[in-house]
Amino acid sequence: MRPDLPSGLLWLAAGAFVAWEGYELGLGSANDPGSGFVLFWVGLLLVVLALVQLGQALARPAEAGIRALWRDLHWWKPVGAVVVLAIYAVALLPVGYLLSTFAFLLVLMLAVDRNPPVTAATVALSATAITFLVFDKWLGVGLPRGIFYL
Amino acid sequence: MDLLNSLALGFSVALSPINLAYCFGGVFVGTLIGVLPGIGPVAAMSLLLPATFAVPPESAIILMAGVYYGSMYGGSTTAILVNIPGEAASVVTCLDGYQMARQGRAGAALGMAAIGSFLAGTLAVVGLMLVAPTLARFAIKFGPAEYFSLMVLGLSILAYLSHGSLVKAVIMAAAGLILGLVGLDSITAIPRLTFDRMELVDGLGLVPIVMGLFGVAEILANLEQELKREIFARRITGLMPTRDDWRRSAWPLARGSVLGFILGILPGGGAVISSFLSYGLEKRLSKTPERFGKGAIEGVAGPEAANNAAAGGGFIPLMTLGIPPNVVMALLMGAFIVHGLQPGPLLMVQKPDIFWGIVASMYIGNIMLLILNLPLIGMWVQLLKVPYRILFPLILLFCVIGVYTASGAIFDVYLMIGFGVLGYLMRKFGYEPAPLVLAFVLGPMLENNLRKALLLAQGDFMTFVERPISATCLAIAALLLLSPLLPRFGARRNAIALEQS
């Protein structure tokens, strides 16, 4: 599949949705534009642009598909980093900053990109401690304590 | 005389110990950010924004501004020594700077980059000092129609200068406008696109969006490819360029400074475009263009001067019109607003100490950068030896801390991750994030000015074309956006894109 087709369809759907939302909110009149006035017209502009993009994609001769965008690349690394980052974000409040940050850095350095375990543990521990001291103690930013009050 | 009095006031602010410390902190962090691949000035400034909440407004802006122009200096170090640009404006420095390093002339390249940056940066501050008051007086005459048209022009220039498809760039700008309108309508207080979520009532935060699109996305993109970093010069010697180097570089430095300053003022211009255009210009004017790409010092001097002059020039539209010309300035505008300041034509009148304090701090910051960059090159080289597999988790952690501390809401961290994934996919599919961010910042202002202009004109759309400044802005914007249909303009845009690629 040509890469510009799915992205064009996505923008088409987004534009249509926004234009509809704008219409629902009320366009008002020219001398008193409503809350949906700009949303409606920008949504419509997005629809037109998406159609132009789709037209261009279909008019062009078939090129390499979407898979080619990830060919010869370590695609699993960004995927792994996002998964670990998402778990960290979910765990941050309940588990607390110190424990969740140490685990987050350790997993990133061991699983996503291979570091020697001693190096990973040292960096994770020192980075967690230093950032906690700087942001929480020195700058007074309240970092989450979590259920263990850590 | 009035100008000298203003400058004296500015120096009295900038030379206070606390502001000197913040200026030094800003340029130091900026240089560090420039040296480290994988985190640019936009992400760094987002990260620092929450740390400035407790400090006086002028100190906060001095710090943030220092990070920006400091990163322009630092970016050349990695470009020359490792062939990896520390930030986008230094991409072109790789071409000849790295070749000079391979020939054992890393010192001369680094020296020229630092001294050229200093000269251009200082010239840009002089230009800012001379141009800003005049432009501010002129901007007071602007009404809602002019502001609306000027913002449309800014977005159009940015889309026109974006790399790749113009349609995609305008799609990004439209998406940014929509994202900027999420939250309560400022006039009717009706919630828009909030999906009944309380977190969205105040709108989306600039920091999570910027950190996601520029910080997290950059890391994800770097992770999937092997970053080979081979430092050619482990001991840097001979930092002063030779007489022949100066002879070759004098005019490129001057031209780069002027070109960068002018492009910096223009909405959408910025440091990246100016460095590419400067390189193209020098190659075109050179009697020996075949030397370019093989270690020509002019290829370092011109672009480095251009990107630093552009960084200084970019302050003019922000501080005199209240319109950010690029993403970095959009972020700086956020910092102004967070501290209760409204950048624009009245800033100079209402808060002269802050305006001139910032200008004066840029003189001082440029001197600090020269002192930082030349003797501390060895330290930056040591820093470059830290493997990326250790750096990237730390950068990701700083992104999370920056976003979380800015709002205290975990929702913003989720938002950052979402925009990080979106930014990564955007890169893959050929969409540039810069028009989206600028449109996001300008969106609410653009809508307000459009609605105000129509209210004042009693619904007559002709108000936008009957007023000369507004009509001129809209005409240029239309010309740029229709350029693919006009062979000559389309060819010019393609030439710029080709030079960038």
Side-chain angles (χ1 to χ4, degrees):
Chain A
M1 191 194 277
R2 297 173 175 91
D4 280 355
L5 283 179
S7 62
L9 287 169
L10 182 81
W11 294 121
L12 184 68
F17 171 75
V18 169
W20 173 252
E21 278 285 308
Y23 180 76
E24 287 282 289
L25 283 163
L27 304 183
S29 57
N31 58 357
D32 186 16
S35 295
F37 182 79
V38 172
L39 273 182
F40 174 78
W41 288 109
V42 177
L44 220 53
L45 172 69
L46 198 51
V47 167
V48 172
L49 291 165
L51 288 171
V52 171
Q53 188 186 313
L54 287 168
Q56 285 178 342
L58 291 168
R60 256 185 250 125
E63 56 202 21
I66 290 177
R67 282 190 182 185
L69 299 175
W70 281 272
R71 191 171 294 148
D72 301 329
L73 294 171
H74 307 300
W75 58 265
W76 62 92
K77 283 189 181 180
V79 172
V82 169
V83 170
V84 176
L85 191 58
I87 293 168
Y88 173 56
V90 171
L92 189 60
L93 290 185
V95 178
Y97 180 79
L98 290 174
L99 282 178
S100 61
T101 303
F102 176 72
F104 165 69
L105 293 174
L106 197 66
V107 172
L108 271 185
M109 281 190 279
L110 290 175
V112 176
D113 219 332
R114 286 181 198 158
N115 282 282
V118 176
T119 306
T122 310
V123 172
L125 192 65
S126 50
T128 303
I130 291 166
T131 51
F132 183 78
L133 289 171
V134 169
F135 286 94
D136 194 276
K137 299 294 176 196
W138 182 42
L139 292 173
V141 176
L143 292 171
R145 292 291 194 274
I147 48 174
F148 306 108
Y149 202 75
L150 283 171
Chain B
M1 197 62 215
D2 195 31
L3 194 67
L4 289 175
N5 288 337
S6 302
L7 205 56
L9 171 69
F11 274 107
S12 70
V13 173
L15 287 170
S16 70
I18 185 79
N19 286 336
L20 277 175
Y22 276 107
C23 186
F24 180 80
V27 297
F28 184 83
V29 170
T31 308
L32 181 71
I33 292 308
V35 168
L36 291 175
I39 183 165
V42 180
M45 286 164 73
S46 307
L47 194 68
L48 280 172
L49 185 59
T52 68
F53 290 166
V55 303
E58 65 274 18
S59 306
I61 306 297
I62 284 169
L63 175 84
M64 300 275 279
V67 172
Y68 178 39
Y69 56 85
S71 69
M72 294 295 133
Y73 275 71
S76 60
T77 307
T78 41
I80 291 164
L81 296 179
V82 200
N83 203 24
I84 295 175
E87 39 79 45
S90 300
V91 169
V92 78
T93 309
C94 292
L95 300 176
D96 284 282
Y98 185 63
Q99 290 305 319
M100 285 179 73
R102 291 183 68 138
Q103 293 159 17
R105 301 197 65 230
L110 289 164
M112 181 55 74
I115 296 164
S117 296
F118 167 74
L119 293 172
T122 308
L123 278 172
V125 180
V126 173
L128 167 67
M129 203 176 72
L130 298 173
V131 173
T134 313
L135 197 59
R137 279 194 291 274
F138 179 65
I140 288 170
K141 299 188 180 105
F142 278 30
E146 282 81 4
Y147 270 109
F148 168 79
S149 304
L150 195 64
M151 288 178 208
V152 170
L153 175 63
L155 290 173
S156 304
I157 294 175
L158 191 63
Y160 177 78
L161 293 176
S162 288
H163 185 62
S165 160
L166 183 61
V167 173
K168 286 181 177 178
V170 183
I171 283 177
M172 284 292 96
L177 282 174
I178 292 163
L179 291 172
L181 299 180
V182 170
L184 293 183
D185 178 354
S186 60
I187 295 176
T188 62
I190 293 172
R192 298 184 292 186
L193 300 173
T194 55
F195 308 104
D196 297 328
R197 288 205 65 125
M198 280 305 292
E199 298 96 335
L200 294 174
V201 167
D202 278 340
L204 299 169
L206 175 64
V207 175
I209 290 180
V210 167
M211 289 294 245
L213 291 176
F214 289 87
V216 177
E218 177 81 25
I219 288 165
L220 298 180
N222 285 341
L223 272 177
E224 67 178 14
Q225 48 201 327
E226 287 293 333
L227 277 180
K228 285 196 172 68
R229 289 197 276 170
E230 191 181 359
I231 302 172
F232 258 88
R234 293 191 177 273
R235 284 189 71 254
I236 310 293
T237 51
L239 282 168
M240 283 313 286
T242 62
R243 190 185 293 260
D244 184 54
D245 289 335
W246 281 116
R247 189 182 54 78
R248 288 180 185 279
S249 303
W251 280 110
L253 283 174
R255 282 189 292 260
S257 302
V258 174
L259 181 76
F261 182 69
I262 293 167
L263 283 173
I265 295 173
L266 290 177
V272 182
I273 295 286
S274 63
S275 62
F276 279 98
L277 288 184
S278 167
Y279 188 84
L281 181 72
E282 293 314 321
K283 195 173 176 179
R284 204 156 294 172
L285 293 175
S286 174
K287 288 172 185 161
T288 51
E290 67 281 358
R291 290 174 48 253
F292 279 73
K294 294 172 187 165
I297 199 160
E298 307 94 297
V300 175
E304 280 300 314
N307 69 35
N308 276 273
F315 283 83
I316 291 176
L318 175 68
M319 303 234 284
T320 58
L321 301 171
I323 295 175
N326 56 50
V327 177
V328 176
M329 289 298 140
L331 205 62
L332 206 59
M333 183 173 171
F336 269 99
I337 291 164
V338 160
H339 286 277
L341 298 167
Q342 185 57 54
L346 295 176
L347 180 72
M348 216 179 295
V349 180
Q350 292 169 343
K351 302 275 184 186
D353 53 330
I354 290 179
F355 180 91
W356 291 105
I358 294 165
V359 172
S361 80
M362 288 162 77
Y363 278 112
I364 297 161
N366 272 296
I367 295 166
M368 284 178 177
L369 278 166
L370 193 65
I371 297 164
L372 261 179
N373 267 269
L374 292 178
L376 295 185
I377 287 284
M379 191 181 89
W380 304 129
V381 173
Q382 291 302 316
L383 197 70
L384 283 172
K385 293 175 186 172
V386 178
Y388 194 71
R389 63 176 193 271
I390 288 174
L391 272 182
F392 90 86
L394 299 177
I395 297 170
L396 274 180
L397 174 64
F398 284 128
C399 288
V400 172
I401 293 173
V403 168
Y404 181 76
T405 53
S407 64
I410 202 73
F411 177 80
D412 279 357
V413 178
Y414 299 147
L415 204 62
M416 178 195 76
I417 297 168
F419 274 99
V421 174
L422 181 71
Y424 167 74
L425 292 172
M426 275 162 52
R427 283 160 191 251
K428 284 280 174 197
F429 286 84
Y431 293 91
E432 282 212 28
L436 185 146
V437 175
L438 194 63
F440 170 79
V441 173
L442 293 178
M445 285 191 287
L446 190 133
E447 185 196 36
N448 278 341
N449 281 296
L450 172 67
R451 285 161 83 175
K452 275 184 200 166
L454 287 172
L455 275 168
L456 289 170
Q458 296 178 324
D460 185 8
F461 280 92
M462 290 305 287
T463 187
F464 295 105
V465 289
E466 282 169 351
R467 301 169 76 101
I469 296 170
S470 170
T472 307
C473 290
L474 289 178
I476 298 169
L479 192 68
L480 292 173
L481 294 176
L482 297 173
S483 64
L485 308 175
L486 306 165
R488 194 174 162 187
F489 281 92
R492 181 71 216 124
R493 182 176 182 270
N494 292 339
I496 294 170
L498 195 67
E499 274 170 2
Q500 286 190 63
S501 59

